[in-house]
Amino acid sequence: MSTSLQELASLDRVIHEPARLMIVTVLYAVSEADFIYLQNECGLTQGNLSSHLARLEEERYVLVQKTFKGKYPLTICSLTTKGRKSFEEYARIMRAATQGPARGKS
Amino acid sequence: VADIDFAVVDAESRARNYWFSDGLDLLLLSVFIALAGCFGLIRPLPLWKSLAILGLISVAGYLLAAKRSPMLGWLKSRITYPRSGYASIELPKLKREDWRRYPEAFVVFFSAAVFDMNPAPWIGLIALAAGLGFLWGRFGFSFLIPGIAMSGVLVAASSRAHGSSMAWLFIALAILYFIKGTRQLLRYLRQHPAPQA
């Protein structure tokens, strides 16, 4: 078994869950986003998004802040440094597994 | 999952497009350009007065149309964020582009002011070149370029050319931006109805 394949076993299971992977990908691309934007981008229900954000917050991957833009209340979410590094590591492992030497030669 | 990099790039590009999807920046920019056009219609002024007015227009431009302007933020917090949410697009690439655009905008309006006071064809051509650069950098409105180029050359070549020709060109541009911005805003409002209280 190749090393890159074995590395798949060490994938971060918090990020690996599809809904959470979507959330983390969006937050990785923007510096911060609010609840409605994440809901629209990921196509999740309010309850679903809340529970996944809570899980990510629990792992300290995501920082959730309640604030205001003018009079409009915002729940702003952003990736923490730990979350950013974990996502980068996750992406590296997936890249290595899917673009291994056999595919790289083509 | 091999396309994880593509997913990140796609999310970045969606966030960038999202910022401009409501057309508010275009509407505010049209007000800014119309202000500059109106300045051109004022008969020749002493240099210090022209520069003072130009300074005021530049401040108005920042307050109205810049990406991080307080006015744009205020409008978005009432129209866009409650409907479709908020996402920050503080990407280094966009920041660099922004810094490149401000001097271009300044050159356009400064050239227009000078043209208004001293109508020489070559100054009109400088204003035209700067204006094209600004438009290209700001929006990539390639369909406007031939029309503006032709108008600019006519203004510059005409022996009777004076500041008001350039001012009308600015006002025409402002109307185009206004129409495009309004259409974009209406489309956005249709796609994102106001949330239920």
Side-chain angles (χ1 to χ4, degrees), chain B residues 101 132-145 177 180:
Chain B
R101 283 169 190 156
L132 292 178
F134 172 64
L135 284 175
W136 185 265
R138 180 73 181 82
F139 294 114
F141 277 1
S142 50
F143 68 95
L144 285 176
I145 302 293
Y177 281 129
K180 190 174 165 64

mmCIF file with all atom_site columns, all heavy atoms in Angstrom, chain B residues 101 132-145 177 180:
data_model
loop_
_atom_site.group_PDB
_atom_site.id
_atom_site.type_symbol
_atom_site.label_atom_id
_atom_site.label_alt_id
_atom_site.label_comp_id
_atom_site.label_asym_id
_atom_site.label_entity_id
_atom_site.label_seq_id
_atom_site.pdbx_PDB_ins_code
_atom_site.Cartn_x
_atom_site.Cartn_y
_atom_site.Cartn_z
_atom_site.occupancy
_atom_site.B_iso_or_equiv
_atom_site.pdbx_formal_charge
_atom_site.auth_seq_id
_atom_site.auth_comp_id
_atom_site.auth_asym_id
_atom_site.auth_atom_id
_atom_site.pdbx_PDB_model_num
ATOM 1   N N   . ARG B 1 101 ? -6.350  51.505 -9.277  1.00 0.00 ? 101 ARG B N   1
ATOM 2   C CA  . ARG B 1 101 ? -7.448  52.233 -9.911  1.00 0.00 ? 101 ARG B CA  1
ATOM 3   C C   . ARG B 1 101 ? -7.540  53.693 -9.483  1.00 0.00 ? 101 ARG B C   1
ATOM 4   O O   . ARG B 1 101 ? -7.913  54.541 -10.256 1.00 0.00 ? 101 ARG B O   1
ATOM 5   C CB  . ARG B 1 101 ? -8.781  51.547 -9.565  1.00 0.00 ? 101 ARG B CB  1
ATOM 6   C CG  . ARG B 1 101 ? -9.009  50.305 -10.352 1.00 0.00 ? 101 ARG B CG  1
ATOM 7   C CD  . ARG B 1 101 ? -10.157 49.556 -9.802  1.00 0.00 ? 101 ARG B CD  1
ATOM 8   N NE  . ARG B 1 101 ? -10.264 48.242 -10.400 1.00 0.00 ? 101 ARG B NE  1
ATOM 9   C CZ  . ARG B 1 101 ? -10.866 47.224 -9.828  1.00 0.00 ? 101 ARG B CZ  1
ATOM 10  N NH1 . ARG B 1 101 ? -11.409 47.356 -8.651  1.00 0.00 ? 101 ARG B NH1 1
ATOM 11  N NH2 . ARG B 1 101 ? -10.929 46.075 -10.444 1.00 0.00 ? 101 ARG B NH2 1
ATOM 12  N N   . LEU B 1 132 ? -10.017 55.354 -20.745 1.00 0.00 ? 132 LEU B N   1
ATOM 13  C CA  . LEU B 1 132 ? -10.104 53.976 -21.249 1.00 0.00 ? 132 LEU B CA  1
ATOM 14  C C   . LEU B 1 132 ? -9.427  53.002 -20.287 1.00 0.00 ? 132 LEU B C   1
ATOM 15  O O   . LEU B 1 132 ? -9.957  51.942 -19.981 1.00 0.00 ? 132 LEU B O   1
ATOM 16  C CB  . LEU B 1 132 ? -9.444  53.883 -22.631 1.00 0.00 ? 132 LEU B CB  1
ATOM 17  C CG  . LEU B 1 132 ? -10.154 54.606 -23.769 1.00 0.00 ? 132 LEU B CG  1
ATOM 18  C CD1 . LEU B 1 132 ? -9.360  54.465 -25.058 1.00 0.00 ? 132 LEU B CD1 1
ATOM 19  C CD2 . LEU B 1 132 ? -11.556 54.069 -23.958 1.00 0.00 ? 132 LEU B CD2 1
ATOM 20  N N   . GLY B 1 133 ? -8.255  53.434 -19.779 1.00 0.00 ? 133 GLY B N   1
ATOM 21  C CA  . GLY B 1 133 ? -7.523  52.591 -18.824 1.00 0.00 ? 133 GLY B CA  1
ATOM 22  C C   . GLY B 1 133 ? -8.344  52.363 -17.577 1.00 0.00 ? 133 GLY B C   1
ATOM 23  O O   . GLY B 1 133 ? -8.420  51.250 -17.058 1.00 0.00 ? 133 GLY B O   1
ATOM 24  N N   . PHE B 1 134 ? -8.967  53.421 -17.097 1.00 0.00 ? 134 PHE B N   1
ATOM 25  C CA  . PHE B 1 134 ? -9.784  53.344 -15.884 1.00 0.00 ? 134 PHE B CA  1
ATOM 26  C C   . PHE B 1 134 ? -10.960 52.388 -16.088 1.00 0.00 ? 134 PHE B C   1
ATOM 27  O O   . PHE B 1 134 ? -11.216 51.496 -15.273 1.00 0.00 ? 134 PHE B O   1
ATOM 28  C CB  . PHE B 1 134 ? -10.285 54.749 -15.545 1.00 0.00 ? 134 PHE B CB  1
ATOM 29  C CG  . PHE B 1 134 ? -11.290 54.771 -14.442 1.00 0.00 ? 134 PHE B CG  1
ATOM 30  C CD1 . PHE B 1 134 ? -10.952 54.367 -13.161 1.00 0.00 ? 134 PHE B CD1 1
ATOM 31  C CD2 . PHE B 1 134 ? -12.582 55.215 -14.667 1.00 0.00 ? 134 PHE B CD2 1
ATOM 32  C CE1 . PHE B 1 134 ? -11.877 54.391 -12.135 1.00 0.00 ? 134 PHE B CE1 1
ATOM 33  C CE2 . PHE B 1 134 ? -13.515 55.241 -13.650 1.00 0.00 ? 134 PHE B CE2 1
ATOM 34  C CZ  . PHE B 1 134 ? -13.158 54.835 -12.388 1.00 0.00 ? 134 PHE B CZ  1
ATOM 35  N N   . LEU B 1 135 ? -11.663 52.580 -17.202 1.00 0.00 ? 135 LEU B N   1
ATOM 36  C CA  . LEU B 1 135 ? -12.830 51.727 -17.466 1.00 0.00 ? 135 LEU B CA  1
ATOM 37  C C   . LEU B 1 135 ? -12.422 50.268 -17.609 1.00 0.00 ? 135 LEU B C   1
ATOM 38  O O   . LEU B 1 135 ? -13.085 49.368 -17.109 1.00 0.00 ? 135 LEU B O   1
ATOM 39  C CB  . LEU B 1 135 ? -13.529 52.170 -18.753 1.00 0.00 ? 135 LEU B CB  1
ATOM 40  C CG  . LEU B 1 135 ? -14.371 53.426 -18.631 1.00 0.00 ? 135 LEU B CG  1
ATOM 41  C CD1 . LEU B 1 135 ? -14.897 53.817 -19.995 1.00 0.00 ? 135 LEU B CD1 1
ATOM 42  C CD2 . LEU B 1 135 ? -15.532 53.193 -17.686 1.00 0.00 ? 135 LEU B CD2 1
ATOM 43  N N   . TRP B 1 136 ? -11.323 50.062 -18.313 1.00 0.00 ? 136 TRP B N   1
ATOM 44  C CA  . TRP B 1 136 ? -10.860 48.695 -18.549 1.00 0.00 ? 136 TRP B CA  1
ATOM 45  C C   . TRP B 1 136 ? -10.509 48.020 -17.226 1.00 0.00 ? 136 TRP B C   1
ATOM 46  O O   . TRP B 1 136 ? -10.908 46.896 -16.958 1.00 0.00 ? 136 TRP B O   1
ATOM 47  C CB  . TRP B 1 136 ? -9.639  48.727 -19.481 1.00 0.00 ? 136 TRP B CB  1
ATOM 48  C CG  . TRP B 1 136 ? -9.178  47.374 -19.872 1.00 0.00 ? 136 TRP B CG  1
ATOM 49  C CD1 . TRP B 1 136 ? -8.195  46.642 -19.287 1.00 0.00 ? 136 TRP B CD1 1
ATOM 50  C CD2 . TRP B 1 136 ? -9.706  46.566 -20.912 1.00 0.00 ? 136 TRP B CD2 1
ATOM 51  N NE1 . TRP B 1 136 ? -8.083  45.434 -19.908 1.00 0.00 ? 136 TRP B NE1 1
ATOM 52  C CE2 . TRP B 1 136 ? -8.985  45.359 -20.912 1.00 0.00 ? 136 TRP B CE2 1
ATOM 53  C CE3 . TRP B 1 136 ? -10.709 46.751 -21.866 1.00 0.00 ? 136 TRP B CE3 1
ATOM 54  C CZ2 . TRP B 1 136 ? -9.237  44.341 -21.812 1.00 0.00 ? 136 TRP B CZ2 1
ATOM 55  C CZ3 . TRP B 1 136 ? -10.965 45.732 -22.761 1.00 0.00 ? 136 TRP B CZ3 1
ATOM 56  C CH2 . TRP B 1 136 ? -10.239 44.546 -22.728 1.00 0.00 ? 136 TRP B CH2 1
ATOM 57  N N   . GLY B 1 137 ? -9.761  48.779 -16.378 1.00 0.00 ? 137 GLY B N   1
ATOM 58  C CA  . GLY B 1 137 ? -9.350  48.229 -15.088 1.00 0.00 ? 137 GLY B CA  1
ATOM 59  C C   . GLY B 1 137 ? -10.528 48.022 -14.153 1.00 0.00 ? 137 GLY B C   1
ATOM 60  O O   . GLY B 1 137 ? -10.568 47.062 -13.409 1.00 0.00 ? 137 GLY B O   1
ATOM 61  N N   . ARG B 1 138 ? -11.485 48.923 -14.207 1.00 0.00 ? 138 ARG B N   1
ATOM 62  C CA  . ARG B 1 138 ? -12.576 48.888 -13.236 1.00 0.00 ? 138 ARG B CA  1
ATOM 63  C C   . ARG B 1 138 ? -13.604 47.818 -13.587 1.00 0.00 ? 138 ARG B C   1
ATOM 64  O O   . ARG B 1 138 ? -14.042 47.071 -12.761 1.00 0.00 ? 138 ARG B O   1
ATOM 65  C CB  . ARG B 1 138 ? -13.221 50.287 -13.178 1.00 0.00 ? 138 ARG B CB  1
ATOM 66  C CG  . ARG B 1 138 ? -14.369 50.417 -12.211 1.00 0.00 ? 138 ARG B CG  1
ATOM 67  C CD  . ARG B 1 138 ? -13.857 50.413 -10.777 1.00 0.00 ? 138 ARG B CD  1
ATOM 68  N NE  . ARG B 1 138 ? -14.926 50.523 -9.812  1.00 0.00 ? 138 ARG B NE  1
ATOM 69  C CZ  . ARG B 1 138 ? -15.658 49.499 -9.398  1.00 0.00 ? 138 ARG B CZ  1
ATOM 70  N NH1 . ARG B 1 138 ? -15.429 48.304 -9.877  1.00 0.00 ? 138 ARG B NH1 1
ATOM 71  N NH2 . ARG B 1 138 ? -16.597 49.665 -8.502  1.00 0.00 ? 138 ARG B NH2 1
ATOM 72  N N   . PHE B 1 139 ? -14.044 47.791 -14.829 1.00 0.00 ? 139 PHE B N   1
ATOM 73  C CA  . PHE B 1 139 ? -15.146 46.891 -15.159 1.00 0.00 ? 139 PHE B CA  1
ATOM 74  C C   . PHE B 1 139 ? -14.880 45.979 -16.350 1.00 0.00 ? 139 PHE B C   1
ATOM 75  O O   . PHE B 1 139 ? -15.622 45.040 -16.576 1.00 0.00 ? 139 PHE B O   1
ATOM 76  C CB  . PHE B 1 139 ? -16.419 47.697 -15.481 1.00 0.00 ? 139 PHE B CB  1
ATOM 77  C CG  . PHE B 1 139 ? -16.938 48.442 -14.298 1.00 0.00 ? 139 PHE B CG  1
ATOM 78  C CD1 . PHE B 1 139 ? -16.932 49.823 -14.287 1.00 0.00 ? 139 PHE B CD1 1
ATOM 79  C CD2 . PHE B 1 139 ? -17.403 47.771 -13.200 1.00 0.00 ? 139 PHE B CD2 1
ATOM 80  C CE1 . PHE B 1 139 ? -17.400 50.514 -13.191 1.00 0.00 ? 139 PHE B CE1 1
ATOM 81  C CE2 . PHE B 1 139 ? -17.876 48.455 -12.093 1.00 0.00 ? 139 PHE B CE2 1
ATOM 82  C CZ  . PHE B 1 139 ? -17.872 49.830 -12.097 1.00 0.00 ? 139 PHE B CZ  1
ATOM 83  N N   . GLY B 1 140 ? -13.868 46.299 -17.155 1.00 0.00 ? 140 GLY B N   1
ATOM 84  C CA  . GLY B 1 140 ? -13.658 45.522 -18.372 1.00 0.00 ? 140 GLY B CA  1
ATOM 85  C C   . GLY B 1 140 ? -14.824 45.674 -19.332 1.00 0.00 ? 140 GLY B C   1
ATOM 86  O O   . GLY B 1 140 ? -15.241 44.724 -19.974 1.00 0.00 ? 140 GLY B O   1
ATOM 87  N N   . PHE B 1 141 ? -15.394 46.903 -19.377 1.00 0.00 ? 141 PHE B N   1
ATOM 88  C CA  . PHE B 1 141 ? -16.539 47.150 -20.273 1.00 0.00 ? 141 PHE B CA  1
ATOM 89  C C   . PHE B 1 141 ? -16.046 47.306 -21.715 1.00 0.00 ? 141 PHE B C   1
ATOM 90  O O   . PHE B 1 141 ? -16.018 48.393 -22.265 1.00 0.00 ? 141 PHE B O   1
ATOM 91  C CB  . PHE B 1 141 ? -17.271 48.428 -19.859 1.00 0.00 ? 141 PHE B CB  1
ATOM 92  C CG  . PHE B 1 141 ? -18.254 48.225 -18.753 1.00 0.00 ? 141 PHE B CG  1
ATOM 93  C CD1 . PHE B 1 141 ? -18.443 46.979 -18.178 1.00 0.00 ? 141 PHE B CD1 1
ATOM 94  C CD2 . PHE B 1 141 ? -19.017 49.286 -18.291 1.00 0.00 ? 141 PHE B CD2 1
ATOM 95  C CE1 . PHE B 1 141 ? -19.348 46.798 -17.160 1.00 0.00 ? 141 PHE B CE1 1
ATOM 96  C CE2 . PHE B 1 141 ? -19.927 49.113 -17.271 1.00 0.00 ? 141 PHE B CE2 1
ATOM 97  C CZ  . PHE B 1 141 ? -20.085 47.870 -16.703 1.00 0.00 ? 141 PHE B CZ  1
ATOM 98  N N   . SER B 1 142 ? -15.667 46.203 -22.312 1.00 0.00 ? 142 SER B N   1
ATOM 99  C CA  . SER B 1 142 ? -15.040 46.309 -23.635 1.00 0.00 ? 142 SER B CA  1
ATOM 100 C C   . SER B 1 142 ? -16.003 46.858 -24.682 1.00 0.00 ? 142 SER B C   1
ATOM 101 O O   . SER B 1 142 ? -15.589 47.510 -25.630 1.00 0.00 ? 142 SER B O   1
ATOM 102 C CB  . SER B 1 142 ? -14.510 44.950 -24.063 1.00 0.00 ? 142 SER B CB  1
ATOM 103 O OG  . SER B 1 142 ? -15.507 43.986 -23.900 1.00 0.00 ? 142 SER B OG  1
ATOM 104 N N   . PHE B 1 143 ? -17.322 46.641 -24.493 1.00 0.00 ? 143 PHE B N   1
ATOM 105 C CA  . PHE B 1 143 ? -18.274 47.094 -25.513 1.00 0.00 ? 143 PHE B CA  1
ATOM 106 C C   . PHE B 1 143 ? -18.373 48.625 -25.554 1.00 0.00 ? 143 PHE B C   1
ATOM 107 O O   . PHE B 1 143 ? -18.803 49.193 -26.542 1.00 0.00 ? 143 PHE B O   1
ATOM 108 C CB  . PHE B 1 143 ? -19.662 46.475 -25.273 1.00 0.00 ? 143 PHE B CB  1
ATOM 109 C CG  . PHE B 1 143 ? -20.355 46.962 -24.022 1.00 0.00 ? 143 PHE B CG  1
ATOM 110 C CD1 . PHE B 1 143 ? -21.252 48.014 -24.081 1.00 0.00 ? 143 PHE B CD1 1
ATOM 111 C CD2 . PHE B 1 143 ? -20.098 46.368 -22.799 1.00 0.00 ? 143 PHE B CD2 1
ATOM 112 C CE1 . PHE B 1 143 ? -21.893 48.459 -22.937 1.00 0.00 ? 143 PHE B CE1 1
ATOM 113 C CE2 . PHE B 1 143 ? -20.735 46.803 -21.653 1.00 0.00 ? 143 PHE B CE2 1
ATOM 114 C CZ  . PHE B 1 143 ? -21.629 47.845 -21.723 1.00 0.00 ? 143 PHE B CZ  1
ATOM 115 N N   . LEU B 1 144 ? -17.941 49.297 -24.473 1.00 0.00 ? 144 LEU B N   1
ATOM 116 C CA  . LEU B 1 144 ? -18.007 50.766 -24.447 1.00 0.00 ? 144 LEU B CA  1
ATOM 117 C C   . LEU B 1 144 ? -16.792 51.409 -25.131 1.00 0.00 ? 144 LEU B C   1
ATOM 118 O O   . LEU B 1 144 ? -16.843 52.555 -25.538 1.00 0.00 ? 144 LEU B O   1
ATOM 119 C CB  . LEU B 1 144 ? -18.049 51.270 -23.008 1.00 0.00 ? 144 LEU B CB  1
ATOM 120 C CG  . LEU B 1 144 ? -19.355 51.115 -22.236 1.00 0.00 ? 144 LEU B CG  1
ATOM 121 C CD1 . LEU B 1 144 ? -19.158 51.573 -20.808 1.00 0.00 ? 144 LEU B CD1 1
ATOM 122 C CD2 . LEU B 1 144 ? -20.457 51.945 -22.886 1.00 0.00 ? 144 LEU B CD2 1
ATOM 123 N N   . ILE B 1 145 ? -15.718 50.623 -25.206 1.00 0.00 ? 145 ILE B N   1
ATOM 124 C CA  . ILE B 1 145 ? -14.438 51.197 -25.644 1.00 0.00 ? 145 ILE B CA  1
ATOM 125 C C   . ILE B 1 145 ? -14.515 51.845 -27.040 1.00 0.00 ? 145 ILE B C   1
ATOM 126 O O   . ILE B 1 145 ? -14.102 52.986 -27.203 1.00 0.00 ? 145 ILE B O   1
ATOM 127 C CB  . ILE B 1 145 ? -13.301 50.144 -25.579 1.00 0.00 ? 145 ILE B CB  1
ATOM 128 C CG1 . ILE B 1 145 ? -13.171 49.588 -24.152 1.00 0.00 ? 145 ILE B CG1 1
ATOM 129 C CG2 . ILE B 1 145 ? -11.985 50.714 -26.054 1.00 0.00 ? 145 ILE B CG2 1
ATOM 130 C CD1 . ILE B 1 145 ? -12.701 50.546 -23.094 1.00 0.00 ? 145 ILE B CD1 1
ATOM 131 N N   . TYR B 1 177 ? -23.827 53.732 -16.903 1.00 0.00 ? 177 TYR B N   1
ATOM 132 C CA  . TYR B 1 177 ? -23.582 53.018 -15.646 1.00 0.00 ? 177 TYR B CA  1
ATOM 133 C C   . TYR B 1 177 ? -24.869 52.907 -14.832 1.00 0.00 ? 177 TYR B C   1
ATOM 134 O O   . TYR B 1 177 ? -25.136 51.886 -14.206 1.00 0.00 ? 177 TYR B O   1
ATOM 135 C CB  . TYR B 1 177 ? -22.527 53.746 -14.806 1.00 0.00 ? 177 TYR B CB  1
ATOM 136 C CG  . TYR B 1 177 ? -21.107 53.507 -15.251 1.00 0.00 ? 177 TYR B CG  1
ATOM 137 C CD1 . TYR B 1 177 ? -20.237 54.560 -15.481 1.00 0.00 ? 177 TYR B CD1 1
ATOM 138 C CD2 . TYR B 1 177 ? -20.619 52.221 -15.415 1.00 0.00 ? 177 TYR B CD2 1
ATOM 139 C CE1 . TYR B 1 177 ? -18.932 54.347 -15.876 1.00 0.00 ? 177 TYR B CE1 1
ATOM 140 C CE2 . TYR B 1 177 ? -19.316 51.999 -15.814 1.00 0.00 ? 177 TYR B CE2 1
ATOM 141 C CZ  . TYR B 1 177 ? -18.480 53.066 -16.043 1.00 0.00 ? 177 TYR B CZ  1
ATOM 142 O OH  . TYR B 1 177 ? -17.190 52.848 -16.430 1.00 0.00 ? 177 TYR B OH  1
ATOM 143 N N   . LYS B 1 180 ? -27.137 50.261 -16.332 1.00 0.00 ? 180 LYS B N   1
ATOM 144 C CA  . LYS B 1 180 ? -26.612 48.915 -16.053 1.00 0.00 ? 180 LYS B CA  1
ATOM 145 C C   . LYS B 1 180 ? -26.798 48.560 -14.572 1.00 0.00 ? 180 LYS B C   1
ATOM 146 O O   . LYS B 1 180 ? -27.227 47.455 -14.240 1.00 0.00 ? 180 LYS B O   1
ATOM 147 C CB  . LYS B 1 180 ? -25.131 48.847 -16.435 1.00 0.00 ? 180 LYS B CB  1
ATOM 148 C CG  . LYS B 1 180 ? -24.573 47.426 -16.409 1.00 0.00 ? 180 LYS B CG  1
ATOM 149 C CD  . LYS B 1 180 ? -23.173 47.400 -16.939 1.00 0.00 ? 180 LYS B CD  1
ATOM 150 C CE  . LYS B 1 180 ? -22.468 46.095 -16.604 1.00 0.00 ? 180 LYS B CE  1
ATOM 151 N NZ  . LYS B 1 180 ? -23.019 44.906 -17.201 1.00 0.00 ? 180 LYS B NZ  1
#
